[in-house]
Every structure is written in structure tokens, then in C-alpha cells.
Amino acid sequence: QDRVTQRSQELDAASQALNKSEARLAMALQASELGLWDWNLETGEVYRSPRYYEVIGYAASDDTRDFGFFSRILHPDDRGRVLEIIQSHVRGETAGIDFECRVIARDGTVRWMKVRGQVSVHAADGRALRVVGTNTDITERKQFELVSSEAATVLHSLHEGVMVVSLDGTIQRVNPAFERITGYSASEVVGRSPKVLASGQHGPAFYAEMWRAIHGQGHWNGEIWNRRKNGELYPENLTITSVKGE
């Protein structure tokens, strides 16, 4: 009787510990904004956490609770690649699942997500029995990358010379027109101060007025003399604009 009671207490303690562990996992997933998925390869059933549906733009009631649901919402251009990545891992050919893909949300919009996963249970013969993973919404990052790529294309194609200067006063980027006008290559000026172009033709009062306009109005435009790499002085119409935000 004592052994039965002790065993019962041990099982109860183990159950409480498991519940606490699951609660901590749920809180950790919520804090990290990760969606959880758990795929039983024997039954075909897939569990998806509430956050998972938020990431893909569907409700839990839309889910057929199988792998086919995920396959159907995949963007057609990504479906073949993604399914092959997953199946390759299930076959034991890769160490894990790690990819970015697009899904078509219920409202028809396209969302990007990062998917990671790994086989968590194997049969005695080595077959995969269960795959567990996460999904993360990366739509905003992808949109930012697209805007940045478009901006870089525009910058590259401009006939006007452009340089981007960081808050610490160092040149971060220049375009081909800048290189053509100044004679400096990007590798020669990136990381240096714009003072590398200074002609010596303007006194402190000129630059003080320039910076008052930049700080006060956010921009300055005027004519200025600069010096090319070969030492030649040249006049240019210069526009400086401060960019604010994150």
C-alpha cells in the first residue's frame, strides 16, 4: 500500500512538473512571437498554436489539422521548393528545416514567414515519426528589404552624385555618378569624412550657416566649391537632406 501511495505521489509530482514546463514553454513562445507546429507523421495530424494562425492570417477554424493545410496556403512560386526542403529532412537527408517562404493569407494578402523545424522522434528503424518547429512573421523585414533594394537601384541609376553620411559624419555609400564627378572610388571614400572633398574656398561661417539650416529646417541647398581627387577645383550645386526615423 505504501509503495502504491509513493508511486501515485511520484506520478502526481511528475504531472505537475510537466504542466509547469508546458506553461513555461507557452509563455516563452508567446514572448518570442513564435508560432509552434507539431506534425505526427504516423497519423498525419498537425497541431498549430494560436500564434501560428496569427502569423499566417487564418483562424484555427480554417485548419484541417493536416499537412495539406500548410501546402495549400503556400504561395505557388514557393510550394515546390518548400515541400522538397521539408521532405528531404523527413527522409533524413538534412540536419533540420530552415527556410523563408510566402503564404497567401485568408484576405488574399501575401505574408512572409521564417520556418524552422526538426524531427523530434524516430522509430527504432530510424524512420521519422514526429516533426516539431516554429514559424515567425518576417513580412515587415521583407518589405524593408524590397524598399532598400529599390532605393539602391534608383541611387545607382541617378546621374547626380549622391553620398549617404551617417550620424557620426562618415560616408556610408556613394553612387557611380559621385565616383565619376569626384574621381574617388567608393572604396576610397567610404568610412571617411566628406571633408575629403573640401576645397578650402569656404570659411567657418559658410559651414556654420549650412549646418544651422540642416538642423533647423532639415535641408540645405546652394552652390559650393569642392576638390576632385586629382586636385582640380570645381563648382557644384549641392543639396543636403537629413533623414529622420528609425
Side-chain angles (χ1 to χ4, degrees), residues 128-142:
L129 298 179
R130 183 178 178 184
V131 188
V132 177
T134 60
N135 68 333
T136 314
D137 189 348
I138 58 170
T139 304
E140 287 189 8
R141 174 169 69 79
K142 282 294 184 179

Side-chain angles (χ1 to χ4, degrees), residues 2-244:
D2 290 341
R3 284 197 296 271
V4 171
T5 301
Q6 181 180 359
R7 181 56 177 165
S8 176
Q9 291 174 343
E10 289 174 350
L11 291 174
D12 185 56
S15 177
Q16 291 181 21
L18 178 60
N19 289 337
K20 289 181 180 179
S21 177
E22 290 178 343
R24 283 194 294 268
L25 175 60
M27 287 188 293
L29 288 170
Q30 184 176 5
S32 65
E33 297 189 349
L34 292 173
L36 174 69
W37 52 273
D38 185 348
W39 181 18
N40 187 322
L41 296 177
E42 289 192 299
T43 65
E45 184 179 4
V46 180
Y47 164 79
R48 299 177 175 94
S49 69
R51 176 58 184 163
Y52 185 101
Y53 300 112
E54 293 177 14
V55 172
I56 63 174
Y58 281 85
S61 58
D62 298 318
D63 193 356
T64 53
R65 303 295 194 277
D66 57 10
F67 183 80
F69 171 74
F70 174 67
S71 178
R72 288 189 293 274
I73 67 174
L74 276 170
H75 192 287
D77 294 342
D78 293 346
R79 186 173 293 122
R81 173 182 61 87
V82 165
L83 297 183
E84 178 56 29
I85 290 173
I86 295 172
Q87 291 302 326
S88 293
H89 178 60
V90 171
R91 293 193 298 264
E93 298 169 0
T94 60
I97 295 170
D98 191 339
F99 60 83
E100 296 178 355
C101 68
R102 290 164 292 180
V103 295
I104 308 298
R106 190 178 187 183
D107 61 5
T109 59
V110 176
R111 296 193 181 187
W112 278 91
M113 67 178 184
K114 175 79 170 179
V115 178
R116 288 193 174 99
Q118 192 171 34
V119 173
S120 61
V121 179
H122 290 86
D125 60 4
R127 289 181 299 108
L129 298 179
R130 183 178 178 184
V131 188
V132 177
T134 60
N135 68 333
T136 314
D137 189 348
I138 58 170
T139 304
E140 287 189 8
R141 174 169 69 79
K142 282 294 184 179
Q143 291 173 340
F144 177 78
E145 289 176 356
L146 176 61
V147 170
S148 297
S149 176
E150 291 174 343
T153 300
V154 171
L155 188 69
H156 187 82
S157 63
L158 286 174
H159 294 292
E160 292 80 11
V162 177
M163 67 176 169
V164 180
V165 182
S166 65
L167 289 176
D168 65 2
T170 58
I171 299 173
Q172 301 297 301
R173 181 185 300 179
V174 297
N175 69 345
F178 174 95
E179 296 177 305
R180 175 178 53 79
I181 293 169
T182 67
Y184 286 100
S185 66
S187 61
E188 291 175 312
V189 296
V190 170
R192 299 177 65 182
S193 166
K195 292 178 181 178
V196 67
L197 302 175
S199 65
Q201 301 297 303
H202 305 284
F206 176 87
Y207 292 106
E209 179 58 32
M210 173 192 291
W211 283 109
R212 272 196 295 271
I214 294 171
H215 291 311
Q217 303 168 26
H219 62 86
W220 181 87
N221 174 258
E223 293 185 357
I224 187 173
W225 283 88
N226 272 338
R227 187 184 303 273
R228 305 186 207 275
K229 181 182 177 181
N230 63 8
E232 177 187 359
L233 298 181
Y234 69 98
E236 67 178 20
N237 184 34
L238 177 64
T239 297
I240 300 176
T241 303
S242 61
V243 180
K244 298 182 179 180

